[in-house]
Amino acid sequence: MRGFWGKQSQVAKIDLYMRVTLYVLPWLISLGALTPLTEEVGRDPGAVALARALLALCVAQCAVAMHTIRHSLAHYIDGAPAPWCSAAVALTLGGVSVGLVMALQATGEIGDGTVMIQILPYTLLTTAMSTFMLSTLRRLALGTVVAAALIAGALAAGGAGAGLAAGGVVIVVFVWLFALVTTRSSAWFMAVIRELDLSRDVSARLAVAEERLRFGRDMHDVMGRNLAVIALKSELAVQLARRGRPEAADQMAEVQRIAQESQREVREVVRGYRAADLPAELEGARGVLSAAGIDCLMDRGTGDELPAGVQSALGWVVREATTNVLRHGDARTCTVRLAADAGRAVLVVENDGAGEISATGTAGTPGSGLAGLRERLSAVGGTLRAGPAGDGRFRLTAEVPLVREVLR
């Protein structure tokens, strides 16, 4: 997990909740149902001894179930080795428990209805919850059929009627369905949530990689052809110079011109990358956050009417703030507000799921992105404030003056 309650993500919290539920459920089911047995078996010493042995075995089943369920979840979700040894122990304890139930019934100290309704289902549930994440549904169904046949045969051999034997089959089928709903479905749900969380992280990384590829393509398009021409003309100038031809100077002048043109084009590409367009950055932020499963509420106000220099400076703030929302914390909602008032443009980006992220970056780690933004904004007379806003929210506020010339 990524930490405890203050730091961990919603996915980690769901994972913890589901695991605790699966660990505690066998104890609640088995002990809650079997504890009254010592009062219902009457005064026969043999029946009392069997009931107490069944309770002790129930405690052992629950302890083994916690270990088996823990490793079964790791096997089902993460592909870890299956806990076959502890599963075999759980099955063995379950078989012994069923045997004790049959022996308790044979004493005649409790009624058949009590055995069927109160004892047998809960004896089987702990075993089923321990093993239902380790095999396919087809094999589980086959194992359930075999268990139903064995229990029905054991009841019939113990002198129970056909109705009681049929009730045993019904109970086994009920236990199978209950274990599927509580254990197998919970493991499937946890696996799906884990995959969705990983997909969101991959989506954020792909967005960054796509931007890098775009910049690389632009640089290749600008520099590739010009560098090839420079190489050819330089080679031609060398050949002409060796022959003492005056045209060598003309070729080198052409090389100089192409190099200066390339330098100008590279500056334009870098300027276009650095001078972020505010409307484009706002729409890009909305798209990236939505793709990552984050609800984005955007109030652009009069953002399109701001001077170009102000838009460029705030565009960088939107870009960096979006990156922080994706990379840090576990945001589910993000609000972006842009307004111009009293000669200043104010941009506010606020998101939830911040945990204990500090104003400098992640918890305990200085952030270079916000420091770089402060340097950019201070160069144009702007300010940047970032920090927790209470209730697990993080707020970033950038202010840029409208009257001062903003450099790119």
Side-chain angles (χ1 to χ4, degrees), residues 230-250:
I230 288 174
L232 290 174
K233 287 189 172 293
S234 299
E235 183 179 358
L236 178 59
V238 170
Q239 297 295 331
L240 291 174
R242 288 176 179 175
R243 297 174 186 176
R245 301 284 296 275
E247 291 87 349
D250 296 335

Side-chain angles (χ1 to χ4, degrees), residues 111-362:
D112 292 342
T114 303
V115 173
M116 297 302 299
I117 296 174
Q118 191 174 16
I119 305 177
L120 186 59
Y122 302 102
T123 304
L124 297 174
L125 274 174
T126 303
T127 303
M129 292 182 65
S130 302
T131 58
F132 262 45
M133 288 179 283
L134 300 178
S135 186
T136 63
L137 292 178
R138 183 176 181 179
R139 292 178 180 176
L140 291 175
L142 179 60
T144 301
V145 171
V146 172
L150 291 175
I151 289 177
L155 288 172
L164 191 59
V169 174
V170 173
I171 286 175
V172 173
V173 173
F174 166 78
V175 169
W176 181 77
L177 293 174
F178 186 86
L180 281 182
V181 172
T182 57
T183 307
R184 189 66 177 241
S185 298
S186 297
W188 173 82
F189 179 75
M190 292 167 65
V192 170
I193 292 296
R194 182 80 59 84
E195 289 295 327
L196 290 175
D197 188 49
L198 293 176
S199 298
R200 189 178 69 171
D201 292 340
V202 170
S203 176
R205 289 194 295 267
L206 286 177
V208 175
E210 183 179 356
E211 179 62 19
R212 290 175 177 172
L213 288 175
R214 183 195 69 80
F215 185 72
R217 287 194 301 266
D218 291 345
M219 291 297 296
H220 178 271
D221 294 341
V222 169
M223 296 299 298
R225 178 183 62 83
N226 290 350
L227 288 176
V229 174
I230 288 174
L232 290 174
K233 287 189 172 293
S234 299
E235 183 179 358
L236 178 59
V238 170
Q239 297 295 331
L240 291 174
R242 288 176 179 175
R243 297 174 186 176
R245 301 284 296 275
E247 291 87 349
D250 296 335
Q251 295 297 326
M252 290 307 299
E254 184 67 12
V255 168
Q256 182 182 20
R257 184 191 66 80
I258 296 174
Q260 292 173 346
E261 180 68 17
S262 299
Q263 187 179 24
R264 183 187 62 81
E265 291 179 354
V266 169
R267 278 199 298 265
E268 290 181 356
V269 171
V270 174
R271 184 181 298 115
Y273 181 75
R274 289 181 175 175
D277 180 64
L278 182 56
E281 290 298 332
L282 289 173
E283 290 301 322
R286 187 201 303 271
V288 171
L289 293 176
S290 299
I294 301 174
D295 294 332
C296 184
L297 177 62
M298 193 165 293
D299 182 8
R300 299 174 57 168
T302 58
D304 296 337
E305 302 175 1
L306 297 175
V310 175
Q311 292 195 34
S312 176
L314 294 180
W316 259 105
V317 176
V318 172
R319 181 180 296 178
E320 180 64 25
T322 303
T323 302
N324 288 340
V325 172
L326 291 173
R327 292 179 57 188
H328 308 316
D330 185 52
R332 290 175 294 176
T333 61
C334 179
T335 303
V336 181
R337 296 188 298 273
L338 177 63
D341 185 24
R344 302 180 70 85
V346 181
L347 175 69
V348 179
V349 181
E350 184 174 330
N351 62 276
D352 62 356
E356 295 183 1
I357 298 176
S358 65
T360 55
T362 58

Side-chain angles (χ1 to χ4, degrees), residues 22-23 26-27 56-72 83-94 126-127 129-131 134:
L22 291 177
Y23 296 157
W27 295 92
L57 195 60
C58 175
V59 173
Q61 280 185 279
C62 292
V64 172
M66 292 184 64
H67 179 271
T68 309
I69 290 173
R70 176 174 176 268
H71 290 279
S72 297
W84 296 117
C85 293
S86 50
V89 173
L91 289 172
T92 302
L93 293 178
T126 303
T127 303
M129 292 182 65
S130 302
T131 58
L134 300 178

